Amino acid sequence: GAGVSQSPRYKVAKRGQDVALRCDPISGHVSLFWYQQALGQGPEFLTYFQNEAQLDKSGLPSDRFFAERPEGSVSTLKIQRTQQEDSAVYLCASSSEAGGHHNEQFFGPGTRLTVL
Amino acid sequence: SQELEQSPQSLIVQEGKNLTINCTSSKTLYGLYWYKQKYGEGLIFLMMLQKGGEEKSHEKITAKLDEKKQQSSLHITASQPSHAGIYLCGAVPGAGSYQLTFGKGTKLSVIP
């Protein structure tokens, strides 16, 4: 595709439900990032994949958060037993090279998660 | 950890006016990114500045990096309604680093 796509765009979950958020990066991009953006805040790093390998998950807020990228392309961010504090926009970004700050990260439109 | 403070938090300007947004880092900046975000949309890359007092321009937007002050500024000349949105600065702590840390953003409104 032309850019990074994410689905669903909006998700409403009841507290305690599990959710799965999907990211389709730009075709061929090696690196994939997940960020969490709370209302009125800047995005915060969650995790980083280089191809299928999850090289950094230091930003995941709890063990309820799990991300995977099994074939090195599409990625899924799963949140188990959602809590109200999980309400945020979840952004996915991809870049063409492996790591390194010189590589522009292309962002998707985000998934807005609301936990009731 | 690195923290980025943006000022002002919000800005309302008349169309045609110039404006400046600032981003100050708690640590020495190595790579500094400027992004624009519209409601319900992802981040759009504007410019990247590297360590060394760099300045870049794109159309009516100019960004500068002042290494000594650990600051970057984004200047818009002759603002237009299309410039409205949230401007975010992001930074990495060093070479080879990929973890972007962002400021809270500056919300810009342009009144026609």
Side-chain angles (χ1 to χ4, degrees), chain A residues 9 33 35 37 40-43 45 48 56 58 91 99-105 107-109 112, chain B residues 30-31 33 35 37 39-43 45 48 50 88 92 95-100 102-104:
Chain A
R9 292 293 312 278
F33 308 82
Y35 292 85
Q37 185 176 23
Q41 305 293 315
F45 170 83
Y48 164 63
D56 187 344
S58 62
L91 295 163
H101 83 94
H102 295 282
N103 309 308
E104 178 187 342
Q105 295 183 25
F107 282 79
R112 182 175 296 275
Chain B
Y30 188 81
Y33 294 73
Y35 284 87
Q37 184 176 33
Y39 182 80
E41 299 180 16
L43 279 62
F45 173 79
M48 184 189 78
Q50 295 192 44
L88 292 155
V92 292
S97 180
Y98 49 78
Q99 263 200 40
L100 276 171
F102 287 92
K104 292 184 178 181

Side-chain angles (χ1 to χ4, degrees), chain B residues 20-88:
Chain B
T20 298
I21 298 169
N22 294 302
C23 175
T24 302
S25 173
S26 60
K27 296 184 178 181
T28 300
L29 289 164
Y30 188 81
L32 190 286
Y33 294 73
W34 282 102
Y35 284 87
K36 179 184 176 184
Q37 184 176 33
K38 289 196 169 183
Y39 182 80
E41 299 180 16
L43 279 62
I44 300 169
F45 173 79
L46 296 176
M47 275 171 277
M48 184 189 78
L49 303 169
Q50 295 192 44
K51 190 175 181 178
E54 194 172 358
E55 178 176 330
K56 287 186 177 179
S57 293
H58 177 67
E59 297 180 342
K60 295 183 178 180
I61 301 176
T62 299
K64 301 179 184 179
L65 178 59
D66 182 339
E67 184 182 348
K68 286 186 178 180
K69 293 183 178 180
Q70 300 181 180
Q71 281 187 337
S72 178
S73 60
L74 186 80
H75 185 76
I76 299 178
T77 303
S79 58
Q80 301 171 351
S82 60
H83 288 129
I86 298 172
Y87 289 82
L88 292 155

